Amino acid sequence: TNRASHQSHGLRLQPGDPELSLLSLLDMGFTDSQAQRIYEDTSKLRGGSAACKHALSTLTALFVLGLNPSSVLKLLEKCPELYTVRESLLQQRIGNLRKLGLVEGSLQRVVSHFPQIITVPVKTVKSMVMFLREKCLFTVQQVTDILRDTPAVVLENTDKLEYKFQYVYFRMGVKQAEMVKSRLFRYTLDEVRSRHSFMERRGLYQTPDKKGQTIIINPKLDSILNVDQDTFLTDVAKASAEEYEVFRRLLAREWQEEERLHGTVEAD
Amino acid sequence: TKWAATPTKHPPTSLSLQHFDATYSVQLGQLWPSVRAAMLSERKYGALLNNFSHDAILAELEAQGCRNLLSDTDTKAHLCLEQESEVVAGVEYSGVSISKTSDIDGHKLSALHLSPHIKCFVFPRGDITRFKPARPDVCGLLGYYLMDAASVLPCLALDVREGHNVLDLCAAPGGKTLALLQTQSVVSRTLRLRRVLNSYIPKSLLTDQNLRITSFDGTKWGDFERNTFDRVLVDVPCTTDRHSLTEDENNIFSKSRTSERRRLPQLQLELLMAGIAAACPGGEILYSTCTLSQIQNQSVVEQAVYVARENHGINLQVVDLRPLTHMLRKTFHFAPDLHLGEMVIPHLAANFGPIYMCKLRRLS
Ligand SMILES: C[S@@+](CC[C@H](N)C(=O)[O-])C[C@H]1O[C@@H](n2cnc3c(N)ncnc32)[C@H](O)[C@@H]1O
């Protein structure tokens, strides 16, 4: 069905005509000013007419995904590199994302929120998927969910990611399903550790023992991470902003000194 | 696997944490999480200025942004430095029930007398800058002694004046002795103490007439030097809460020291009784600990007051320290509504303490 929709779109773009003209942009459904913007953006690109040739196929591919002209424009402004990606690569990358379970709907959403995903080589995405499956033991479905909710994960350094994963798995005793649900990979290691350490020192969070038991009931990862700082402080940690602010500075110094002593993987 | 290696046995630091979670969550209620987080995070120090140093330490410390505890006081509190003392508001004990008069008004506050010679510098609230180690001056004396700034409060509260005969019953390692010596001459005890004093106090002052360091059992002091001292500091051994939470070595919560820990309140009572006996009538005794434990704090004082009256015919009056705490509330967090004595509780933005103190005056 993908191929079919591609072909039907391709008809409107007159195959064999690589020229990107204002007229062809209008023809695709852009308004006058949108077309003007794209025309200017592409002519500014290095590589001149070669880039323009790719621009055309990029636009086609995005329309094939079912995106409307204004979201296509918005996404290209976020990530102009897309204009210069070769058509075959683009198709490969999109195809790969589909294979990874990002079906219609989620695929559109991912591409419009994080267009960079189609600038990343298939190989990189595949090795990140391998990493999530093999080192972190996420299920296929969980990996799909991670890609859908936090596509930027594909650009992360796996050593850092592994450290974050292990911190949450071992120190916080949180299982994969809950990590996915709380969109863990949206947050930096510092954010996760700061909130967790603060809770832990206040006696509101405990590392489970070998049997997975704790004396107190730990709050869900989701309720710690997916709230703004004010809500976190008033509802979850029940502390003042002053305390948390001083705590973060103290913690930063603790980490620095720890790193100096042992050297940890998250050091850049 | 970095996080997988959870220790199988229970180190003393985690035993102390369990113990504190159980007792202090009841005793401090809502305050406990905040105190707990502070005690498990880096503490703040104060720099006790050595008046005997020849270096211009004071200006140096001020340039770094720290301030003398006593110059950064709450403006509503009136304080008279180095003036005639007056009787501080206090209430006599009747039976074991203890109450304090509760009016904090200008009159009572102005009764506070504090030695201007005890100068302790701290970085402002929320500032986590650390002090540099003190350097020796031309005579080899160090410019300041780093200690918990809250530990200076018992010394301030003791109100030692020129000419007073002072007993520091549990002096080692010597931080408080040093603070007291900033005002004058002291009698006290031990070895590390000697070393600390030698680094700070000129030799000419550490003479036998000025200072006696002994290693007698403090609980026996009252046996041979009764009714003698104008001021007695009884800074007893306790569960040293902060230390117990952070250092496994020499930890009172280690299994092998269980009976010693259980005997602490008894030892504390004996030391306080010895201090009471050593004080002269009219003399003042300051009991202090660095624990939050009610059993080691208020209960010990309550019992001592009772035993002193019932068994020794000594009547004691509790001296109200609220003028002091009122004045220093910008720097320290004090526990609210203690029925006896005052307590600095740790807080992340003012991470001093815990220090408990209660001041008694001998009436007879
Ligand atoms: C809380 S520390 C005193 C700290 C000291 N005042 C300072 O500010 O540096 C209590 C001290 O009492 C000592 N001690 C224990 N039992 C004692 C006893 N029976 N008589 C006198 N001192 C004792 C301990 O060795 C310990 O050094």
XYZ file of all heavy atoms in Angstrom, chain A residues 162-163 166-167 170-171 193 198-204 207-208 210 215 240 242-247 249-250 253-254 257 265, chain B residues 1-4 6-8 18 21 30 32-38 40-42 125-130 333 347-349 351:
536
model
N 23.580 3.362 28.696
C 23.681 2.166 29.524
C 23.804 2.544 31.001
O 23.196 1.942 31.877
C 24.889 1.320 29.109
C 24.967 0.020 29.889
C 26.059 -0.914 29.377
O 26.970 -0.442 28.678
O 25.974 -2.108 29.698
N 24.571 3.587 31.249
C 24.742 4.059 32.623
C 23.397 4.511 33.195
O 23.021 4.164 34.305
C 25.745 5.218 32.623
C 26.165 5.656 34.004
C 27.264 5.084 34.632
C 25.460 6.657 34.678
C 27.651 5.488 35.895
C 25.846 7.075 35.945
C 26.944 6.481 36.546
O 27.324 6.888 37.800
N 21.180 1.465 33.773
C 21.578 0.683 34.948
C 21.290 1.426 36.244
O 20.937 0.823 37.254
C 23.062 0.329 34.859
C 23.336 -0.598 33.688
C 24.654 -1.324 33.810
O 25.500 -0.972 34.620
N 24.826 -2.354 33.001
N 21.449 2.734 36.205
C 21.123 3.529 37.392
C 19.665 3.305 37.776
O 19.339 3.011 38.928
C 21.383 5.015 37.118
C 21.124 5.886 38.331
C 22.143 6.161 39.240
C 19.856 6.409 38.589
C 21.908 6.929 40.357
C 19.615 7.179 39.712
C 20.642 7.438 40.596
O 20.390 8.188 41.718
N 19.035 -0.708 38.588
C 19.602 -1.247 39.829
C 19.394 -0.336 41.035
O 18.977 -0.784 42.095
C 21.096 -1.538 39.655
C 21.373 -2.672 38.717
C 21.987 -2.449 37.503
C 20.995 -3.979 39.060
C 22.230 -3.512 36.628
C 21.244 -5.037 38.191
C 21.858 -4.798 36.974
N 19.696 0.949 40.862
C 19.612 1.834 42.012
C 18.166 2.126 42.377
O 17.820 2.243 43.550
C 20.349 3.154 41.731
C 21.826 3.079 41.939
C 22.209 3.101 43.429
N 22.371 4.452 43.940
C 21.617 4.968 44.878
N 20.632 4.289 45.389
N 21.829 6.185 45.311
N 18.949 11.531 38.322
C 19.692 11.307 39.574
C 19.372 12.362 40.631
O 19.302 12.044 41.818
C 21.203 11.324 39.293
C 21.734 10.038 38.696
C 23.222 9.932 38.889
N 23.945 11.003 38.210
C 25.259 11.068 38.137
N 26.015 10.149 38.708
N 25.852 12.043 37.500
N 17.446 13.096 45.790
C 16.756 13.969 46.737
C 15.699 13.182 47.505
O 15.621 13.228 48.737
C 16.125 15.137 45.981
C 15.640 16.256 46.866
C 16.488 16.873 47.774
C 14.330 16.717 46.762
C 16.051 17.928 48.572
C 13.881 17.769 47.554
C 14.745 18.373 48.452
N 14.906 12.417 46.759
C 13.869 11.576 47.389
C 14.506 10.571 48.336
O 14.030 10.345 49.443
C 13.102 10.808 46.306
C 12.307 11.662 45.360
S 10.858 12.329 46.146
C 9.877 10.836 46.272
N 15.592 9.976 47.878
C 16.239 8.938 48.673
C 16.766 9.501 49.991
O 16.574 8.920 51.050
C 17.389 8.335 47.861
C 18.044 7.156 48.545
C 19.119 6.515 47.690
O 20.001 7.239 47.191
O 19.078 5.285 47.516
N 17.414 10.658 49.923
C 17.956 11.222 51.162
C 16.864 11.700 52.094
O 17.036 11.739 53.302
C 18.929 12.351 50.861
C 20.168 11.766 50.225
C 21.383 12.599 50.309
N 22.292 12.123 49.282
C 23.387 12.718 48.903
N 23.755 13.837 49.481
N 24.141 12.210 47.954
N 15.743 12.049 51.537
C 14.625 12.433 52.402
C 13.916 11.207 52.980
O 12.993 11.338 53.768
C 13.627 13.317 51.638
C 14.218 14.669 51.271
C 13.251 15.540 50.513
N 12.130 15.996 51.326
C 12.167 17.046 52.133
N 13.256 17.773 52.205
N 11.112 17.389 52.842
N 14.327 10.042 52.539
C 13.721 8.824 53.084
C 12.441 8.445 52.369
O 11.638 7.676 52.884
N 12.255 8.972 51.160
C 11.013 8.714 50.440
C 11.192 7.748 49.280
O 10.264 7.479 48.540
C 10.439 10.048 49.918
C 10.206 11.120 50.981
C 9.781 12.434 50.336
C 9.155 10.664 51.987
N 16.149 1.704 47.533
C 16.563 0.676 46.584
C 16.025 -0.665 47.082
O 16.259 -1.017 48.236
C 18.096 0.613 46.506
O 18.590 1.888 46.115
C 18.544 -0.436 45.498
N 15.299 -1.396 46.227
C 14.774 -2.687 46.674
C 15.904 -3.666 46.996
O 16.980 -3.578 46.405
C 13.967 -3.178 45.472
C 13.740 -1.989 44.618
C 14.891 -1.076 44.858
N 17.419 -7.757 47.425
C 17.572 -8.779 46.383
C 16.240 -9.393 45.984
O 16.050 -9.815 44.851
C 18.558 -9.849 46.845
C 20.005 -9.414 46.612
C 20.965 -10.569 46.822
C 21.954 -10.265 47.924
N 21.596 -10.735 49.256
N 10.950 -1.299 52.376
C 10.172 -1.081 53.599
C 9.077 -0.052 53.354
O 7.961 -0.176 53.839
C 11.097 -0.617 54.749
C 12.096 -1.739 55.077
C 10.281 -0.255 55.995
C 13.247 -1.297 55.929
N 11.071 22.343 50.107
C 11.069 23.713 49.591
C 12.001 23.813 48.388
O 12.928 23.015 48.225
C 11.522 24.687 50.676
O 12.895 24.507 50.948
N 14.136 26.063 47.941
C 15.462 26.419 48.456
C 16.280 25.158 48.763
O 17.443 25.041 48.389
C 15.325 27.269 49.718
C 16.666 27.756 50.258
C 16.579 28.318 51.667
O 15.778 27.799 52.482
O 17.321 29.273 51.963
N 15.647 24.208 49.431
C 16.354 22.973 49.777
C 16.836 22.251 48.517
O 17.967 21.793 48.438
C 15.428 22.031 50.567
C 15.192 22.436 51.997
C 14.176 21.512 52.671
O 12.978 21.632 52.343
O 14.571 20.684 53.502
N 15.949 22.160 47.536
C 16.302 21.416 46.327
C 17.399 22.122 45.550
O 18.300 21.485 44.998
C 15.058 21.225 45.454
C 15.279 20.257 44.305
C 15.759 18.964 44.547
C 15.018 20.633 42.996
C 15.968 18.077 43.494
C 15.217 19.746 41.939
C 15.696 18.477 42.197
O 15.895 17.599 41.165
N 17.326 23.428 45.563
C 18.320 24.215 44.823
C 19.709 24.025 45.458
O 20.693 23.770 44.758
C 17.871 25.680 44.825
C 18.624 26.590 43.891
C 19.802 27.232 44.588
O 19.678 27.590 45.798
O 20.846 27.350 43.951
N 19.786 24.117 46.762
C 21.075 23.894 47.447
C 21.522 22.448 47.244
O 22.691 22.172 46.977
C 20.972 24.211 48.959
C 22.288 23.882 49.659
C 20.600 25.660 49.190
N 20.578 21.532 47.345
C 20.895 20.117 47.186
C 21.528 19.835 45.828
O 22.515 19.111 45.730
C 19.627 19.283 47.360
C 19.861 17.812 47.201
C 20.495 17.078 48.199
C 19.450 17.146 46.060
C 20.728 15.724 48.049
C 19.669 15.781 45.906
C 20.307 15.077 46.892
N 23.217 21.794 43.966
C 24.594 22.299 43.921
C 25.531 21.383 44.696
O 26.644 21.106 44.263
C 24.656 23.722 44.467
C 24.267 24.762 43.413
C 24.530 26.167 43.894
N 23.464 26.644 44.771
C 23.665 27.182 45.964
N 24.890 27.325 46.439
N 22.641 27.595 46.676
N 25.082 20.901 45.843
C 25.899 19.976 46.636
C 26.153 18.685 45.866
O 27.253 18.144 45.837
C 25.209 19.652 47.965
C 25.233 20.735 49.036
C 24.340 20.339 50.208
C 26.662 20.969 49.534
N 28.676 18.905 43.138
C 30.033 18.859 43.676
C 30.413 17.433 44.070
O 31.524 16.979 43.833
C 30.138 19.794 44.875
C 31.564 20.043 45.305
C 31.704 21.325 46.066
N 31.133 21.232 47.400
C 31.038 22.272 48.229
N 31.462 23.464 47.858
N 30.508 22.116 49.418
N 29.455 16.696 44.653
C 29.710 15.290 45.002
C 30.085 14.490 43.764
O 31.038 13.717 43.771
C 28.460 14.651 45.623
C 28.250 14.960 47.084
C 26.987 14.301 47.617
O 26.600 13.216 47.131
O 26.370 14.892 48.531
N 33.525 15.270 42.427
C 34.597 14.681 43.221
C 34.674 13.175 43.020
O 35.753 12.588 43.001
C 34.408 15.049 44.688
C 34.813 16.489 44.880
C 34.505 17.067 46.238
O 33.977 16.335 47.096
O 34.785 18.257 46.425
N 31.700 6.713 33.414
C 31.446 6.690 31.974
C 30.736 7.933 31.473
O 30.850 8.256 30.312
C 30.602 5.466 31.566
C 31.454 4.229 31.571
C 29.373 5.326 32.441
N 26.295 -3.640 35.773
C 26.708 -4.296 37.020
C 27.282 -3.296 38.031
O 27.566 -3.676 39.151
C 27.777 -5.374 36.734
O 28.799 -4.781 35.951
C 27.175 -6.538 35.979
N 27.456 -2.060 37.590
C 28.007 -1.069 38.524
C 27.143 -0.937 39.774
O 27.623 -0.654 40.854
C 28.105 0.304 37.856
C 29.067 0.345 36.711
C 28.821 1.589 35.884
C 29.341 1.448 34.487
N 28.428 0.727 33.586
N 25.868 -1.137 39.607
C 24.950 -0.912 40.735
C 24.524 -2.215 41.402
O 23.808 -2.213 42.369
C 23.719 -0.171 40.262
C 24.057 1.009 39.434
C 24.003 1.107 38.069
C 24.552 2.259 39.898
N 24.425 2.335 37.675
C 24.764 3.065 38.768
C 24.824 2.787 41.173
C 25.228 4.355 38.859
C 25.290 4.078 41.262
C 25.493 4.843 40.120
N 24.948 -3.331 40.818
C 24.440 -4.607 41.311
C 25.057 -4.998 42.642
O 24.459 -5.711 43.421
C 24.709 -5.701 40.284
N 25.302 -4.779 45.771
C 24.751 -4.298 47.039
C 25.372 -5.104 48.167
O 25.465 -6.325 48.081
C 23.217 -4.455 47.084
O 22.897 -5.699 46.478
C 22.517 -3.337 46.345
N 25.836 -4.413 49.219
C 26.519 -5.134 50.291
C 25.567 -6.105 50.995
O 24.399 -5.802 51.198
C 26.971 -4.024 51.235
C 26.107 -2.851 50.913
C 25.697 -2.996 49.489
N 26.094 -7.266 51.316
C 25.245 -8.284 51.940
C 24.997 -7.988 53.417
O 23.885 -8.051 53.893
C 25.878 -9.677 51.795
O 27.280 -9.555 52.031
C 25.636 -10.247 50.407
N 18.551 3.295 59.857
C 17.317 2.575 60.213
C 16.799 3.001 61.580
O 15.608 3.249 61.769
C 17.589 1.071 60.281
C 17.490 0.356 58.952
C 17.966 -1.084 59.061
O 17.838 -1.709 60.123
N 18.523 -1.607 57.995
N 15.472 6.548 61.361
C 14.187 6.590 60.658
C 13.057 6.194 61.594
O 11.982 6.794 61.581
C 14.213 5.648 59.438
C 14.730 6.338 58.181
O 14.606 7.578 58.086
O 15.271 5.640 57.296
N 6.929 15.742 60.610
C 7.097 16.331 59.275
C 8.499 16.850 58.996
O 8.914 16.942 57.846
C 6.125 17.520 59.141
C 4.690 17.177 59.371
C 4.024 16.767 58.090
O 3.955 17.550 57.159
N 3.576 15.527 58.029
N 11.333 15.515 59.822
C 12.372 14.499 59.664
C 12.949 14.371 58.257
O 14.172 14.378 58.090
C 11.903 13.159 60.243
C 12.840 12.022 59.969
C 12.539 10.833 59.394
C 14.254 11.957 60.281
N 13.651 10.036 59.308
C 14.719 10.701 59.841
C 15.159 12.840 60.852
C 16.053 10.301 59.964
C 16.490 12.444 60.972
C 16.927 11.188 60.544
N 12.123 14.284 57.177
C 12.732 14.141 55.853
C 13.725 15.255 55.538
O 14.797 15.007 54.962
C 11.534 14.200 54.909
C 10.388 13.731 55.730
C 10.649 14.239 57.125
N 13.392 16.452 55.933
C 14.262 17.585 55.659
C 15.573 17.496 56.454
O 16.661 17.729 55.915
C 13.480 18.854 55.997
O 14.326 19.936 56.155
N 15.472 17.109 57.713
C 16.652 16.950 58.565
C 17.505 15.789 58.047
O 18.730 15.855 57.977
C 16.231 16.693 60.029
C 17.438 16.359 60.897
C 15.488 17.888 60.598
N 16.838 14.712 57.652
C 17.516 13.520 57.150
C 18.344 13.853 55.910
O 19.523 13.511 55.818
C 16.438 12.481 56.810
C 16.943 11.108 56.426
C 15.727 10.308 55.975
N 15.961 8.874 55.949
C 16.439 8.221 54.915
N 16.777 8.873 53.829
N 16.578 6.902 54.964
N 17.714 14.528 54.950
C 18.430 14.871 53.715
C 19.643 15.749 54.033
O 20.702 15.593 53.432
C 17.491 15.592 52.746
N 19.487 16.652 54.978
C 20.607 17.528 55.341
C 21.733 16.717 55.982
O 22.899 16.868 55.626
C 20.128 18.626 56.285
N 22.495 13.696 55.549
C 23.140 12.803 54.586
C 23.871 13.589 53.491
O 24.401 13.004 52.553
C 22.104 11.866 53.962
C 21.514 10.814 54.921
C 20.348 10.082 54.272
C 22.579 9.808 55.359
N 23.867 14.903 53.600
C 24.575 15.719 52.617
C 25.691 16.484 53.320
O 25.765 16.503 54.534
C 23.600 16.691 51.949
O 22.544 15.969 51.343
N 26.523 17.109 52.501
C 27.710 17.744 53.075
C 27.342 18.819 54.092
O 26.529 19.688 53.831
C 28.561 18.363 51.958
C 29.873 18.909 52.471
C 30.752 19.476 51.355
O 30.773 18.880 50.271
O 31.393 20.503 51.593
N 23.599 31.731 54.389
C 22.601 30.719 54.116
C 22.609 30.329 52.638
O 22.623 31.185 51.752
C 21.235 31.297 54.492
C 20.097 30.330 54.369
C 18.781 31.023 54.687
N 17.707 30.068 54.495
C 17.303 29.214 55.418
N 17.850 29.236 56.614
N 16.359 28.342 55.172
N 22.623 29.020 52.365
C 22.568 28.543 50.985
C 23.907 28.561 50.260
O 24.047 27.970 49.204
N 24.884 29.232 50.837
C 26.217 29.295 50.223
C 26.996 28.042 50.641
O 27.117 27.755 51.823
C 26.925 30.561 50.723
C 28.237 30.841 49.994
O 28.900 29.875 49.558
O 28.605 32.024 49.875
N 27.505 27.287 49.636
C 28.167 26.020 49.988
C 29.687 26.105 49.858
O 30.384 25.091 49.826
C 27.629 24.838 49.141
C 27.846 25.082 47.648
C 26.145 24.606 49.406
C 27.637 23.812 46.803
N 30.208 27.303 49.790
C 31.669 27.471 49.725
C 32.342 26.820 50.929
O 31.824 26.866 52.034
C 32.029 28.979 49.721
O 31.173 29.649 48.819
C 33.476 29.188 49.321
N 33.495 26.207 50.672
C 34.221 25.590 51.781
C 35.344 26.516 52.259
O 35.888 27.279 51.471
C 34.862 24.287 51.318
C 33.868 23.201 51.004
C 34.602 22.058 50.321
N 33.709 20.962 50.020
C 33.963 20.069 49.069
N 35.065 20.161 48.348
N 33.119 19.090 48.848
N 18.718 26.723 62.026
C 17.345 26.256 62.194
C 17.233 25.643 63.580
O 17.996 24.740 63.915
C 17.003 25.199 61.148
C 16.611 25.794 59.842
N 15.365 25.618 59.290
C 17.289 26.608 59.001
C 15.297 26.277 58.156
N 16.457 26.884 57.944
N 19.581 21.621 58.198
C 18.728 22.002 57.082
C 19.661 22.209 55.891
O 20.757 22.743 56.069
C 17.985 23.296 57.428
C 17.015 23.739 56.374
N 17.401 24.473 55.273
C 15.683 23.533 56.252
C 16.328 24.707 54.524
N 15.281 24.147 55.087
N 19.259 21.799 54.698
C 20.170 21.878 53.555
C 20.744 23.280 53.333
O 21.902 23.428 52.973
C 19.479 21.380 52.288
C 19.481 19.847 52.141
C 18.442 19.399 51.127
C 20.867 19.339 51.758
N 19.946 24.295 53.579
C 20.440 25.652 53.339
C 21.272 26.184 54.505
O 21.970 27.176 54.379
C 19.272 26.587 53.064
N 23.317 23.968 56.892
C 23.565 22.583 57.302
C 24.503 22.453 58.511
O 25.587 21.888 58.415
C 24.073 21.772 56.108
C 23.706 20.299 56.226
O 23.268 19.863 57.299
N 23.905 19.545 55.173
